[in-house]
Structure formats: C-alpha cells, structure tokens
Amino acid sequence: MSLIDDEPIDGYNDLTSTAQPIQPVQVSLADAARSKSGRSIPPDVLVRIFQYLPVYALANVALTSRRFKVLAYDDEIWDSKLQIMLENDHGALAAMLSDNDNTKGSLIDSENTIYINNKPLNTLILGMSTDPYSARARAKSTGRSKEQFRQLYAQLIPYYLDMRDGNKESTKVLREFGGNPEECGKVINLLVGLGQCHVVDDWKEINENVNAVSQYFESASLHEFEVAYDVHNVADMKSYANALIALNGGSTCIQTYVQKHPIFYDNPFKPEENFVISHDDLTPFKKLMHLITDELKQQSVVVAEVFPDMMDAFYTFVDRVFEDVVAEFVGHMLNRAIGISTQLYLHTMSSVLNSSKKVVDVLMNNSELPKRIERDRGINLLFKLMLPFLDDYLYEESNYAEMITRKYIEEWNNRSAGIADVSARLTNQSRETFKRNYLAAFKKVLTLPVDLVSTAATTIASPFQRNANLTDKRSSSIDSIATPQSTPPSTPKISTFHANRSSTSLEPPRSPTTYGKEITGQLEFARQELDMLQNYISLETSLQLIHINKESERRLQQFIDIGFPGRMKTDIHRTYEHIFIQLLKLLGQHHIQPGFECASDRLSSYKPNADISNEDVPPLTEFFELVHVADVIQQMIQLYYDEEITKNVDKLDFLNEVNKEKKTFERLLDDCVAQGMDRGIQVLLSQVEFILAHEQKKEDYNPLNNMIPDLKPTKACQDTIQCLKTNTSMLVGAAEKTTMDLFFSETGRRFFEILCKHLKTQTVNETGGFRYISDMNAYYDFILTLRQKTITPYFLALKSLANLYIIESATDIKSLIHDLERYHGLMRVEDLFEFAACRSDWPLIKRVVQKDMTDCCIM
C-alpha cells in the first residue's frame, strides 16, 4: 500500500523492506491517545509529534486509525517537509510548486461537507473544533501540501536510492541528465533537499553520497565554465552558469568570473607614478579610472548575456573592482600624498571622490548599458570606498583650515606696523562707494566656479601703497588686470570660491576666463581703494581666510551632495559646521578684537594737538576707519553665510552651533565698536575743547566799540564744527542706525556741556552779541544734521539765550531770564544768571536784574 494513496510507487518495496517490522500493539487505542493525566492528547500535539517521524513511519501511522489518518494527512506535516526542501532550493522547486497550485484530491473542503458514519469529519477527533492553531484549523486542511510532496517523492526517490552505491561518476542522475547541465543541477539540488527530509533509515550515508555527487558536478561545471571563459564562448558560459546557479546558487561561478578578469592582477598603472611630473599630477590615477569605466561598460554587456538578473553579478563585479583595485590604489596614493603635504592630500582626496563619482554616474545613468546599478547601490559603492579614509580626511581638513587661518593671522600681527598717510585718505562719499563696489564684486566671486577665477587676482596679493595718489592706484589696478604678473605674489595662493549656479544674461556670451577676470578686476580695484581704510585689521587677510574656509567647505560639499548615510553623514556635517565656526572664532577673537583693542589703547593715550585744528583726529579717524573695515568684513561673512553655508544649515534653527557662533561673532563686533565709541567721544570732545580754548579770542565777543560788527561765525566756531563734522561723518554707513544714533546723541549732549562751560568764561558786549548769535546759529545748524531730536532743544535754548547780549534794558534782560518757557525747561534761573554775568556791563545792571532774587520780604 502506498504512503499517500493506493497507486504503487517505484522503490516503495525497497523503502518498506528497510522499515522495522511493526510490533503488536499491547494497549488499546484509547489508552495510547491518552496522557498520564488521563486526558486525550490534543490534535496539535499529535501533529507536532508526527512531524518528527520519517516518511515510511507516517504510512504506518495512517493505517492505525481514521483519526490518525486525518492527522497524518494534515498540511502542517507536509508543509514542514516542503519548507525543508525550499531552504536548500535555488529556484527550481519554487517554480515547480507555483506551477502545481491546482492539485486535485483535497482532503477536506473548507466547509464541513464530508461525513464519516453520518458524523462530520471534524468531530471524529476530540478537540478538533477548538484547535488552538486558529490560523489553519484541522478541518480546513486541503491536502495540497501532501499531494505536492507525493509528486516530488515519486519523481526523486529512484534517483535518491540510487545513491546508495556511492559511485558518483555512474549514478543514475548523471547518466540521464549529464548532457543537460542546467537540468542536472536542478535535480541534484532537489535530491539534496529531499535528503534533508530523512525519508529512509540510512539517510546519512545516502546524503553523503549526494553531497559528493554535488561537489563532483560543481567542479566539472566550473572547469567547463573556465574553458568557455578563456575562449570567450558566451553560450557555454551561460549554460554552465545556470547549472551552477540551480545547483547551489552560483556564488562560486560568479567568484570565478570576477577573479579571472585581468584588471585584478594586471593593473598597468602604479600609485607611485603619481606626483612625478608635478606636485599635484594625478594623471596615472585619472587614466586608471578611465580604464575602469571602459571595462565596466564592457562587462555590463557580457554579464547581461551570461548571468540571469536575479544573480546580481554586475554589481558584485563592480563592488570587487572598487574594493580590490580602486581602494588599494587610492590607499597607497593618499599615503604618498600626506607624506608630501597636507594640502596635496586634501586636493587628492577631492579628486578621488570626484573621479569615483563620475564612474558611478556612468554606471547609474548610462541608458546604453544593458546592466545598470541603482542609485542607493551607487552611493553604497562610494560609501565603502571612502569609509576607511574618512576619519583621517575630516581630521586633516579641519586641522588644515585652522592651521592656515592661524598662519595668516599671525603674519598680519607680525607685520611692520605703519600708519596711513593722512593725505591719502578717502572722503566719506568715496569710501561708501568703494565699499559697495567691493561687496558687489565679492558676491559675484561667490557665484563663480573656482577654476574660472584668477587665483592671483582674488588673493589680492600685492599690497596697496598708501602714499600713492588715486590716479596711480587706478592705473596700476587696470594694468594688473590686463597684464599677467611677471612674478608670483608675495602671499600664498588661496583657491577661489566655487558654487554650482547657472545664470542667464541678455548680453552676448563671453568666455569664462574673460568673465572671471572682469569680476576679479573689480574686486581688486575696490580692494585697493578700501585698503586706505586698513590700519589695525586687514581686509586682505579676512578675504584670504574666507577663501581658505570656502575651499575646505567646497571639498566637504562634494561628500554632502552624494548623500552618504548614517554616521558618515553626521560626521561630514559636523566637520562642515566646525570649519565655519573656526573661521568665525579665529577671525573675531584673534584678528578683529585685537585690532579694536589697539585702536582703543591709542585713543586712550591721545592728547589734543594744536597742529590738528579743524582736521580729523588721527586716532579717532583710525578707529572709525576700523569700524568701516569691520563692517565690510561682517557683510562679507553674511554674504558667504547666505550664499553657501545656508545650503546645509537651517538659518532658523537657533540651537544650531553655526547660528549660535555667528550671533556670538556679531555680538563681539558690536561690543568692540561700543567700547571704542566711548573713548572716541572723549577724544573727539577733548579736541573740541582744545580748539575752543585756544582759538576763541577775547575780542570775538567783546570787540572795541568803534569796530564794525562781523556777522560771520568765529574761527573757533567754524573749526569746532568742522572737526565734529569731519569725524562724525566717517561713521555713516559703518555701523547700525541704533549705534550711530547713540553715538551722535551722546556726542551732542557732551558737546553742549563743554560749550556751556566755555561760553560762561567769555565776556560779551552788545556788538559782540551779534557774532555770539551767529555762532549759536551755526552750532544749531550743525546739530540739526545729526538728526537727533533729543539734543536739538538744548542748542535751540542756546539760540534763545544769545538774545541776552543784544538787549540794552536791564528790565528786559530780567524778563528774558525769568521766561523759562523760551528755554524749553532745560536751563535753570541760576544758569541763566551765570550767562548774563558774561555781559561786559554786568556790574552796571546787576542790581536791577537780580533785584527780585536779592530783596527779602517778611510776611
């Protein structure tokens, strides 16, 4: 009797003959189905036990009773055996099972329509209706899995039992299927899976023979595959590749295919051939990458013809090329580069990433290739290539940017200090014009690719000669743009800015080189004009520091654009932010802040000078020029931040370290300006006080009676206003409006106090009073130009006060003094009497004017 049905199966007699004879049952069936506790064993437990029985034993179980037959036919038992075979399957068995879904002979319908002895089948076994395996109850077992296994068993058991002989070269499977390698590989694979189901007692010995046949067939197929590879026989390669894939997945076949390619052992380029012609020569590496690109294109065609899509052989080949050829070459090349210089190492790393990315782009986007790789896998190739070098690269990139930044700042600090010639200073109007020109040119440079901008021009290497006139500077600037430099610049060359942007214009197209020269020429010309403003901090040094930072950020931007995952992405972004933070810290704390401290110290040590008169005060002028240069630097940093850094940093994230450090940098500038402003006001007003004390003559307000009155302001008044106007106007455009308003209002308030103190020391007669009024009007007109409403009433009160000196009647003078509304409540009566005491005839009118103040009345 068959295991599954009544049809005989070849080999069944041999199978049953090997089974042990059935011993007579000594206990009743009811007792056998009960546990020691007296309860019936649940069906799910029995099924679990039956799964460990060999196939021939299940036949004996099915003959025991109807209940055991139902359980022995359950899908769960046969599903487990099919699953064991599928674990060793490489596509053949899965295809057979999918083609055989509509098998006949289901054991039980989904509805309870089968009855035995007028009882539903699911009631024959206790607990069947309450089966704990709710996903597939016993009553719903279709018998499909049993039928599928039966068919496989019937087809494979003759070949499996034939393996008992142990002669691997004369087995039945090789005799019948040896001429068709692919079919033979499938059958052997199925035999290996069947052996895992332990269908016979001596399965261990037979399985050893099956494995021996499998190894023999694999070796023979690999040999034939290699022979076909050597003679470029694609058809045979495909046939034996499919056989090996059906046998064991084909991994050894793919490994053999990869290892036999000459690119892995016959590389025509050597890492030591780089940096030979010049210090940055990478020609051998670039040629190697071109060779790899061509080879991968060719292999894409061959792999598509030999291997099926499911094997993913092309990606395996590309991965091995990057791992064994490119990575090894790059490792030796980078070791040699770092031994020469850090800058060369960073440049080489950037070139490696760029060249590798080009190769991957071809493999991902070339529509002519029959085999391409997905974007995620392309990124994974670059990820595995760069991962071993990333930590060292990020460390060197960050350290190099910091080292070069400190070097330029130190060179500036150690320069020979020199103060600009006063005669060469710019006017306030031209200063603002040149600042705008410089920032406009700087913004254009930010949008240009690095290789389109002249390095010599953008580094602004040649310092401006401070004692040259404006015409000479313009001509030298134009000549420097039109004529290449015959000698290299004194300062090290720094690579220029880079950004991937495209622009449209209505003008005729110009060559990139010409366009770059025009922009860098504008930047050089504007820089030379602004160089007149530099004494304590350097615009040239600041620009070089931004160049250094931009070069490092540009290299890191290449990594960011690729989109590496996980920790690599985090480390790259952290280094990107850290380099910009370094720029802000070093530029602010080691360059700008020391410059302001030097300027403030010079302000503190300044003493008024009689030779300056109405010209600008040198230390104050230097400080205001310092504020202008700092303002240009801050705007450059803001432009750089807006145009480049915000690509990878959210400007609205106030917790981001870049945004916090930028705010700290701006506060540092504000604090430096604010600290110098107070000292600047003191220096300016000390010079004003000096002018008033030394230039105000006694006869200015007290001329002789026979002199014709002069209605023009006095020289002391004119020089004072000119000094104030010259120095305050330099601050326009250099600081925020709130800072300028604070400076102007404080200057006006303190000037009012100094002027009042000075006027109280003068003697004024009636004729000099008219000139006194002219001075007060001039002071008032100047204060109006400051546009500070809080201090204008003070000087308006002085204008009203001047009328005290042109009135003859003592009674009118007394009325004028007591009319406090004329002075907006800013002057006390005591102050007005002090001013009135400056009249030349005060001893004559004093009694009348002070009568109400000196008379006492007893109530």
Side-chain angles (χ1 to χ4, degrees), residues 129 223 290 306 384 427 555 594 630 700 729 737 782:
S129 59
H223 175 72
H290 284 299
V306 174
K384 292 196 294 185
T427 64
R555 287 190 287 265
D700 286 343
S729 62
K737 185 178 184 302
F782 165 71

Side-chain angles (χ1 to χ4, degrees), residues 526-780:
R527 200 282 309 167
Q528 289 181 349
E529 303 295 353
L530 279 173
D531 191 57
M532 300 176 67
L533 308 179
Q534 303 178 84
N535 285 326
Y536 297 102
I537 59 178
S538 171
L539 195 62
E540 174 184 349
T541 300
S542 301
L543 181 62
Q544 289 173 332
L545 299 185
I546 295 178
H547 271 292
I548 295 168
N549 192 269
K550 180 65 179 85
E551 270 297 285
S552 296
E553 302 288 30
R554 180 188 63 83
R555 287 190 287 265
L556 288 171
Q557 185 66 47
Q558 293 178 332
F559 286 87
I560 295 175
D561 291 340
I562 292 175
F564 289 119
R567 184 186 67 86
M568 179 180 284
K569 177 181 179 181
T570 303
D571 292 345
I572 294 171
H573 274 275
R574 185 182 295 115
T575 305
Y576 183 91
E577 295 176 355
H578 178 68
I579 290 177
F580 182 70
I581 291 173
Q582 282 183 165
L583 170 67
L584 297 179
K585 287 183 176 180
L586 295 175
L587 185 61
Q589 299 175 7
H590 297 272
H591 185 58
I592 295 177
Q593 188 175 20
F596 273 94
E597 290 175 353
C598 292
S600 298
D601 293 341
R602 182 170 170 81
L603 282 173
S604 300
S605 61
Y606 174 76
K607 301 298 180 182
N609 191 346
D611 298 332
I612 294 178
S613 66
N614 65 335
E615 296 293 335
D616 51 358
V617 181
L620 185 60
T621 302
E622 292 169 1
F623 176 78
F624 286 156
E625 290 177 346
L626 183 64
V627 174
H628 273 280
V629 176
D631 180 62
V632 175
I633 293 174
Q634 182 177 1
Q635 293 185 53
M636 290 166 58
I637 292 293
Q638 185 64 43
L639 279 173
Y640 176 43
Y641 173 81
D642 292 337
E643 296 292 331
E644 300 297 328
I645 303 301
T646 52
K647 294 178 182 178
N648 304 296
V649 175
D650 183 7
K651 62 172 62 178
L652 300 179
D653 183 7
F654 62 91
L655 295 178
N656 186 275
E657 293 297 328
V658 170
N659 294 330
K660 290 196 291 187
E661 188 61 37
K662 182 172 176 290
K663 290 294 182 183
T664 303
F665 175 77
E666 294 170 351
R667 284 197 300 269
L668 175 67
L669 289 182
D670 294 339
D671 293 342
C672 290
V673 172
Q675 293 172 5
M677 286 292 184
D678 183 65
R679 297 181 184 181
I681 293 174
Q682 296 176 11
V683 170
L684 175 60
L685 294 181
S686 63
Q687 182 66 28
V688 167
E689 189 174 10
F690 183 86
I691 294 173
L692 291 174
H694 289 77
E695 294 189 10
Q696 193 78 67
K697 299 177 181 180
K698 294 183 179 180
E699 57 270 20
D700 286 343
Y701 299 143
N702 190 22
L704 300 176
N705 293 330
N706 58 357
M707 291 184 62
I708 300 175
D710 189 356
L711 300 181
K712 294 181 180 180
T714 62
K715 184 177 184 301
C717 174
Q718 294 177 0
D719 290 348
T720 298
I721 293 175
Q722 183 61 33
C723 180
L724 290 170
K725 183 181 297 184
T726 300
N727 288 280
T728 56
S729 62
M730 288 190 298
L731 192 61
V732 176
E736 295 181 353
K737 185 178 184 302
T738 54
T739 304
M740 292 191 297
D741 290 343
L742 180 61
F743 176 78
F744 291 153
S745 61
E746 186 65 18
T747 301
R749 187 185 61 80
R750 296 189 190 183
F751 174 57
F752 174 79
E753 295 174 357
I754 292 175
L755 185 59
C756 289
K757 179 181 177 181
H758 169 71
L759 292 176
K760 290 177 181 179
T761 63
Q762 303 299 310
T763 301
V764 186
N765 60 18
E766 185 177 346
T767 305
F770 291 100
R771 200 164 194 189
Y772 192 101
I773 293 176
S774 297
D775 283 359
M776 296 306 106
N777 289 335
Y779 290 134
Y780 177 76

Side-chain angles (χ1 to χ4, degrees), residues 261 263-264 267-269 284-300 314 317-327 329-330 355-356 359-360 362-363 385:
H261 198 283
I263 196 173
F264 294 99
N267 188 351
F269 304 103
F285 171 71
K286 293 179 180 178
K287 289 183 178 179
L288 172 64
M289 298 307 288
H290 284 299
L291 174 64
I292 290 176
T293 303
D294 295 339
E295 286 295 329
L296 292 180
K297 288 181 180 179
Q298 182 180 359
Q299 290 304 311
S300 174
F314 181 61
F317 184 86
V318 175
D319 182 59
R320 286 290 300 275
V321 169
F322 271 79
E323 181 179 352
D324 294 351
V325 180
V326 180
F329 191 97
V330 168
S355 299
S356 303
V359 175
V360 173
V362 171
L363 301 180
L385 174 64

Side-chain angles (χ1 to χ4, degrees), residues 518-529:
E518 290 179 4
I519 294 179
T520 52
Q522 297 173 14
L523 190 64
E524 166 70 3
F525 179 74
R527 200 282 309 167
Q528 289 181 349
E529 303 295 353

Side-chain angles (χ1 to χ4, degrees), residues 155-277:
Q155 296 174 8
L156 297 176
I157 195 63
Y159 301 101
Y160 183 76
L161 296 178
D162 183 64
M163 296 291 181
R164 283 175 173 164
D165 296 340
N167 187 358
K168 57 180 179 295
E169 297 182 3
S170 61
T171 58
K172 183 177 181 179
V173 65
L174 293 181
R175 292 196 305 270
E176 294 186 7
F177 299 101
N180 188 346
E182 184 174 355
E183 192 66 25
C184 186
K186 292 180 181 180
V187 174
I188 295 176
N189 175 263
L190 292 174
L191 292 176
V192 173
L194 182 65
Q196 300 300 320
C197 296
H198 305 167
V199 293
V200 293
D201 280 346
D202 55 344
W203 57 269
K204 290 184 179 180
E205 293 78 5
I206 297 178
N207 285 355
E208 290 178 359
N209 295 335
V210 172
N211 292 333
V213 172
S214 176
Q215 294 176 4
Y216 174 77
F217 179 77
E218 181 182 14
S219 300
S221 298
L222 277 177
H223 175 72
E224 295 297 331
F225 180 84
E226 292 182 13
V227 171
Y229 182 93
D230 294 336
V231 298
H232 305 289
N233 188 337
V234 177
D236 287 352
M237 289 172 60
K238 180 178 181 180
S239 176
Y240 288 103
N242 289 334
L244 291 169
I245 292 171
L247 177 68
N248 55 15
S251 59
T252 56
C253 177
I254 296 177
Q255 292 176 5
T256 302
Y257 178 82
V258 172
Q259 293 171 359
K260 288 186 67 66
H261 198 283
I263 196 173
F264 294 99
Y265 56 84
D266 189 18
N267 188 351
F269 304 103
K270 307 300 178 185
E272 56 271 14
E273 295 175 354
N274 295 280
F275 319 120
V276 175
I277 300 177

Side-chain angles (χ1 to χ4, degrees), residues 349-410:
M349 191 71 174
S350 177
S351 299
V352 167
L353 179 64
N354 188 38
S355 299
S356 303
K357 185 176 181 296
K358 289 180 179 178
V359 175
V360 173
D361 287 341
V362 171
L363 301 180
M364 291 191 304
N365 303 321
N366 193 338
S367 58
E368 298 179 357
L369 298 181
K371 287 284 185 179
R372 287 181 289 178
I373 58 178
E374 298 82 2
R375 182 181 183 278
D376 291 343
R377 286 188 157 190
I379 294 176
N380 187 55
L381 290 173
L382 297 175
F383 173 82
K384 292 196 294 185
L385 174 64
M386 293 297 168
L387 184 60
F389 315 111
L390 182 68
D391 291 338
D392 292 338
Y393 164 70
L394 295 180
Y395 174 80
E396 295 293 342
E397 188 73 77
S398 179
N399 279 7
Y400 177 77
E402 181 179 3
M403 179 188 68
I404 297 297
T405 301
R406 291 184 181 275
K407 174 185 175 183
Y408 276 106
I409 293 177
E410 185 177 355

